[in-house]
Amino acid sequence: MSNLKDIKSEIEKYTTDSNLTELQIIEKLEKHYFDKKVNQDLKLYKKGEKKVSEITKDLKISPRKFYAILKKKKIEHKKYKKE
């Protein structure tokens, strides 16, 4: 529990130093760690070691959102035609 108190105190210090609220800081941290995890998974995807279904399950996002990330980062992927 002391680690949680340490984290809380660090966040409170940061809020006093910056003009951000605690929730804004937590949102930024969440975005940072999500992007970090996405980048790790993209490296594995490029190598062919991890499939889209595994990545979306790990990140808890939809395949459409993952393909949007691929398009945004200009990474080639197979496009399937529905007929």
Side-chain angles (χ1 to χ4, degrees):
M1 280 310 257
S2 65
N3 290 336
L4 186 58
K5 289 180 184 177
D6 294 340
I7 292 171
K8 187 175 179 182
S9 65
E10 287 296 322
I11 290 174
E12 288 173 353
K13 283 183 193 177
Y14 192 74
T15 56
T16 57
D17 293 342
S18 66
N19 292 332
L20 301 173
T21 65
E22 291 175 358
L23 286 176
Q24 289 173 329
I25 293 169
I26 291 173
E27 287 173 359
K28 284 186 174 192
L29 286 171
E30 182 180 0
K31 183 179 179 190
H32 170 75
Y33 285 106
F34 178 78
D35 290 343
K36 189 175 179 180
K37 181 70 175 159
V38 166
N39 289 335
Q40 290 173 352
D41 285 341
L42 287 177
K43 288 177 186 176
L44 295 173
Y45 176 76
K46 285 180 187 178
K47 292 179 184 177
E49 295 176 8
K50 210 166 187 184
K51 295 182 180 180
V52 174
S53 60
E54 295 170 346
I55 294 171
T56 56
K57 185 186 266 186
D58 290 345
L59 296 176
K60 298 177 184 171
I61 59 172
S62 68
R64 279 189 178 176
K65 189 170 183 177
F66 181 71
Y67 286 120
I69 291 170
L70 289 176
K71 187 176 181 181
K72 181 178 157 188
K73 294 194 179 243
K74 298 177 183 173
I75 297 173
E76 292 184 26
H77 61 278
K78 287 186 179 180
K79 295 180 182 178
Y80 298 100
K81 294 181 182 179
K82 290 185 178 180
E83 292 182 350

